[in-house]
Amino acid sequence: MIEEGSKSSKSMVEKRQLFMEMRAQNFDVIRLSTYRTACKLRFVQKRCNLHLVDVWNMIEAFRDNGLSTLDHNAEINVSRLETILSSIFYQLNKRLPTTHQINVEQSIGLLLNFIVATYDSEGHGKLTVFAMKAMLATMCGGKILDKLRYIFSQISDSNGVMVYAKFDQFLREVLKLPTAVFEGPSFGYTEHSVRTCFPQQKKILLNTFLDVLMADPPPQYLVWLPLMHRLANVENVFHPVECSYCRSESMMGFRYRCQQCHGYQLCQSCFWRGHASGPHSNQHQMKEHSSWKSPAKKLSHAISKSLGCMPIGEPPHPVFPEAAERPQDLAHTTQLRPVANNMNDTVFISSGTPTPSKSSTLESPSRLDEEHRLIARYAARLAAEASNSTQRQLIAELENKNREILQEIQRLRLEHEQASQPTPEKAQQNPTLLAELRLLRHRKDELERRMSALQESRRELMVQLEGLMRLLKDEEQKQASQTGSSPHSSPSHSASCTMPMPIRSTSAGSTPTHTPQDCLAGVGDDVLDAFSQGVPRNLRNDLLVAADSITNTMSSLVKELHSVDDGLEDEEENMRNGREKVSSLKHSGKRQSTPSF
């Protein structure tokens, strides 16, 4: 008794756990019941990991657990329901990668308690097969088109015509979901629900059924169903637009644009809560955006539409054949097995047949097993694909050709990169490069020999300059001694003779840095002082300056020699004149001293 009491208390806690977590999300602040209901059911779907189970995986689970052969009104107990849910989630974990495994036991417990609370509120411990199929097919993942096609297969007769009574039963079961999340007053079932969806008494086929339920807007009682799928599609959509109310610089999810206030946009949180600012009012019509398009894309889209390059309106769903297909003989067919394409997509294949896509699914309703209709659809798809074999072959050839071209481009790019980066090994293998290197070395040796010869010529020239400077100094000393011994020598002449005559290079050129340091060995200090200014010089300029200096020095020497000769001649003439004056004076004195008789 104690164990039974503990189990029942644990069961009550688990039943309330999902609803307590949902209340903690504070969805009730959303002012519109449609968004409020869609958000709550989306939360239940994700919390129970049903969003990871595709509708085709769900159909396969129904078949594997023998539900396809049961009548819709047959009842199953909670234990069998738990077994079915276990097979669904354990198969899901087999398809998921190891890094994305789910907690199977927790998912089973949460979903089981939610189903029981929704469809067995009176505690009978049983629910119908149709109720379970309707609930799981509605709450699982996948496209809404695929879900509606499966639902139509369950509520139509063998001729592919919808049975109003079965559609009414479907509405009863599916509208228990909003009631379970406390939204019954807005989307509860009424006797007029069927007539509201299909007001006229007429034959409802698959395309008509899809037109009504996928219209914009859909029937009022099921308006939350497509919205729940749109919520799943925009959860990670980013809008680089600032919200006009909360001033958030970006939006995630839905974006709402006012049709009256220019440039007024709201994020989904502000719109759901009824926030407004400035001249905007909640009574204004708002347009819902589930994606972001840049102004350039909008302009391109408008131009394409105006030029007729794209259709103005696209149908909400593809058009399917109206005629129901006859059941196929399954006596020699093999059992289908699921093959996972990715995390959420699974297709069915059978031995010896190509893998059909998810679009090749049941279209004609039947009371027989869904497997009959699946095999029939696969056979029809294979027949249709036979006519397209030529196109497939052409596409395959073009893809192979494209792949070869890409490989050739990659190879040429690599060869170009290798050729543009030569290595020392390649240089050694190239005779042209080796010949150029030898020629450069020979040229370098020749320039060095020529430089050495020029340096030697420069040294010899410096020695000659030193000898000339010595001659000039000796001549100056002689001239100074002569002017010092002569009492009548002129100061200006003496100064001009004693003026120093240094020879200095004023070249601003540069000499090679590798010139030997002893190239001026044996040259006097004056020459060294003239050519060792600490500034690199140009050899050619130095030679030219030295030649000019030699020329100037020789000219100065010749002038000095001429001036010395002229001075000597003047001295001799003065002395001659003095002697003549002395002699004349002597003669005159003799004449004065002679007595007169």
Side-chain angles (χ1 to χ4, degrees):
M1 296 293 294
I2 298 176
E3 292 179 358
E4 292 180 357
S6 61
K7 288 182 180 180
S8 61
S9 61
K10 182 180 180 182
S11 178
M12 291 298 294
V13 172
E14 291 177 350
K15 287 181 180 180
R16 287 194 291 263
Q17 178 182 355
L18 183 63
F19 295 101
M20 292 173 63
E21 293 179 0
M22 185 179 64
R23 289 180 183 274
Q25 299 296 318
N26 200 21
F27 291 121
D28 290 331
V29 299
I30 301 175
R31 66 186 183 95
L32 299 177
S33 60
T34 304
Y35 288 98
R36 193 166 59 244
T37 304
C39 288
K40 290 181 178 180
L41 292 177
R42 175 63 178 168
F43 173 79
V44 173
Q45 182 191 46
K46 295 180 66 176
R47 188 66 182 86
C48 298
N49 290 314
L50 277 175
H51 67 295
L52 301 176
V53 183
D54 193 81
V55 62
W56 308 112
N57 302 130
M58 196 65 72
I59 295 173
E60 183 192 6
F62 296 159
R63 184 191 64 82
D64 291 341
N65 287 275
L67 300 179
S68 301
T69 58
L70 295 179
D71 186 79
H72 284 172
N73 296 321
E75 293 183 343
I76 59 174
N77 55 26
V78 177
S79 299
R80 188 171 182 184
L81 174 61
E82 185 175 3
T83 303
I84 296 171
L85 297 182
S86 300
S87 66
I88 292 173
F89 287 112
Y90 278 112
Q91 289 296 326
L92 171 63
N93 250 2
K94 290 180 181 180
R95 295 188 298 269
L96 294 177
T98 55
T99 55
H100 293 76
Q101 296 288 302
I102 64 171
N103 189 336
V104 175
E105 297 297 332
Q106 185 183 31
S107 299
I108 294 172
L110 291 174
L111 184 56
L112 180 63
N113 291 325
F114 179 75
I115 294 176
V116 171
T118 304
Y119 294 99
D120 189 25
S121 58
E122 298 180 359
H124 296 302
K126 294 182 180 181
L127 69 159
T128 63
V129 172
F130 185 75
M132 188 191 66
K133 284 185 176 182
M135 183 271 172
L136 293 177
T138 303
M139 292 296 293
C140 68
K143 298 180 180 179
I144 187 173
L145 176 64
D146 298 332
K147 292 182 179 182
L148 293 177
R149 291 173 65 191
Y150 173 73
I151 292 170
F152 185 81
S153 69
Q154 302 298 305
I155 62 174
S156 54
D157 58 17
S158 58
N159 296 320
V161 180
M162 187 189 75
V163 179
Y164 278 87
K166 290 186 177 181
F167 180 69
D168 182 76
Q169 184 181 2
F170 167 73
L171 287 181
R172 288 175 186 269
E173 304 299 342
V174 79
L175 289 179
K176 290 180 181 178
L177 293 173
T179 304
V181 293
F182 315 107
E183 297 296 334
S186 300
F187 300 102
Y189 172 80
T190 64
E191 296 179 355
H192 305 287
S193 300
V194 177
R195 298 304 171 191
T196 304
C197 297
F198 300 99
Q200 298 180 359
Q201 288 281 357
K202 63 179 181 178
K203 185 170 65 173
I204 305 298
L205 301 177
L206 174 61
N207 291 318
T208 307
F209 179 80
L210 296 177
D211 289 340
V212 173
L213 269 68
M214 297 185 67
D216 187 16
Q220 180 61 31
Y221 291 99
L222 296 174
V223 68
W224 51 269
L225 181 58
L227 179 57
M228 185 176 69
H229 287 78
R230 295 204 306 273
L231 279 174
N233 295 330
V234 302
E235 284 181 347
N236 298 319
V237 174
F238 175 78
H239 305 268
V241 182
E242 182 183 19
C243 178
S244 301
Y245 182 83
C246 66
R247 298 302 176 184
S248 176
E249 296 182 355
S250 59
M251 303 180 189
M252 293 293 293
F254 286 119
R255 173 171 56 93
Y256 298 90
R257 187 181 187 90
C258 182
Q259 300 299 294
Q260 299 183 25
C261 304
H262 178 71
Y264 194 89
Q265 301 187 81
L266 293 176
C267 62
Q268 67 177 21
S269 178
C270 294
F271 176 75
W272 290 354
R273 286 161 175 77
H275 294 161
S277 61
H280 178 71
S281 171
N282 289 331
Q283 304 301 321
H284 291 179
Q285 184 180 2
M286 302 290 286
K287 185 176 181 181
E288 180 184 278
H289 295 272
S290 58
S291 62
W292 163 255
K293 291 183 180 179
S294 63
K297 288 185 177 180
K298 291 181 181 178
L299 178 61
S300 175
H301 183 80
I303 293 175
S304 300
K305 183 180 291 187
S306 62
L307 295 177
C309 299
M310 58 183 301
I312 299 177
E314 297 182 357
H317 63 83
V319 179
F320 300 99
E322 298 291 355
E325 295 180 354
R326 298 178 60 183
Q328 302 294 317
D329 183 11
L330 304 179
H332 304 286
T333 58
T334 58
Q335 184 177 4
L336 299 179
R337 56 186 177 88
V339 175
N341 285 340
N342 50 43
M343 185 179 297
N344 295 328
D345 299 337
T346 299
V347 298
F348 301 93
I349 65 174
S350 96
S351 302
T353 60
T355 303
S357 63
K358 290 192 298 185
S359 62
S360 60
T361 57
L362 56 151
E363 293 178 0
S364 63
S366 176
R367 295 190 182 96
L368 299 178
D369 186 7
E370 284 87 350
E371 184 177 5
H372 292 229
R373 291 186 292 274
L374 286 173
I375 296 298
R377 290 304 306 148
Y378 298 157
R381 179 61 181 271
L382 288 175
E385 289 178 351
S387 62
N388 297 329
S389 59
T390 305
Q391 289 84 348
R392 283 208 191 95
Q393 184 178 1
L394 179 60
I395 292 173
E397 293 177 358
L398 292 176
E399 289 178 350
N400 293 332
K401 188 66 175 177
N402 183 44
R403 194 178 300 108
E404 293 176 359
I405 293 174
L406 292 176
Q407 292 176 356
E408 183 67 17
I409 291 173
Q410 184 67 17
R411 184 183 64 81
L412 293 175
R413 185 180 291 113
L414 291 175
E415 291 181 357
H416 177 70
E417 292 178 354
Q418 293 175 359
S420 61
Q421 298 178 357
T423 59
E425 292 77 5
K426 292 183 179 179
Q428 293 178 3
Q429 298 175 1
N430 194 338
T432 305
L433 293 178
L434 292 176
E436 291 181 356
L437 290 175
R438 285 194 292 269
L439 181 61
L440 290 175
R441 292 194 186 98
H442 179 71
R443 180 64 176 168
K444 179 183 177 182
D445 296 338
E446 183 181 352
L447 290 175
E448 290 179 352
R449 288 194 298 270
R450 186 175 178 184
M451 182 64 65
S452 300
L454 291 175
Q455 292 295 345
E456 182 65 22
S457 301
R458 182 187 182 194
R459 190 186 67 79
E460 293 177 357
L461 182 60
M462 295 302 104
V463 172
Q464 294 177 6
L465 288 175
E466 181 67 18
L468 290 175
M469 293 180 70
R470 280 199 206 95
L471 291 176
L472 288 175
K473 286 186 178 181
D474 294 341
E475 188 64 32
E476 288 176 358
Q477 291 177 359
K478 292 179 182 179
Q479 186 69 25
S481 61
Q482 291 178 1
T483 54
S485 59
S486 175
H488 300 284
S489 60
S490 63
S492 62
H493 175 73
S494 176
S496 64
C497 292
T498 59
M499 183 179 296
M501 299 292 293
I503 301 175
R504 298 193 177 271
S505 174
T506 59
S507 172
S510 60
T511 56
T513 57
H514 58 273
T515 303
Q517 296 296 328
D518 58 347
C519 63
L520 298 178
V523 180
D525 295 337
D526 293 331
V527 179
L528 290 175
D529 183 52
F531 287 90
S532 60
Q533 300 299 323
V535 179
R537 300 176 182 277
N538 187 285
L539 182 59
R540 182 179 178 185
N541 292 339
D542 288 347
L543 293 175
L544 293 175
V545 172
D548 294 338
S549 300
I550 292 172
T551 303
N552 295 333
T553 303
M554 294 299 296
S555 300
S556 301
L557 180 61
V558 171
K559 290 180 181 180
E560 290 293 332
L561 291 176
H562 283 299
S563 63
V564 170
D565 293 338
D566 294 336
L568 291 175
E569 291 177 358
D570 293 337
E571 289 288 335
E572 292 177 355
E573 185 177 358
N574 291 332
M575 292 177 66
R576 190 182 304 111
N577 294 332
R579 283 196 294 271
E580 289 177 356
K581 289 181 181 181
V582 171
S583 60
S584 60
L585 289 175
K586 288 181 177 181
H587 288 296
S588 61
K590 288 180 178 181
R591 283 193 299 266
Q592 292 177 0
S593 61
T594 302
S596 56
F597 296 99

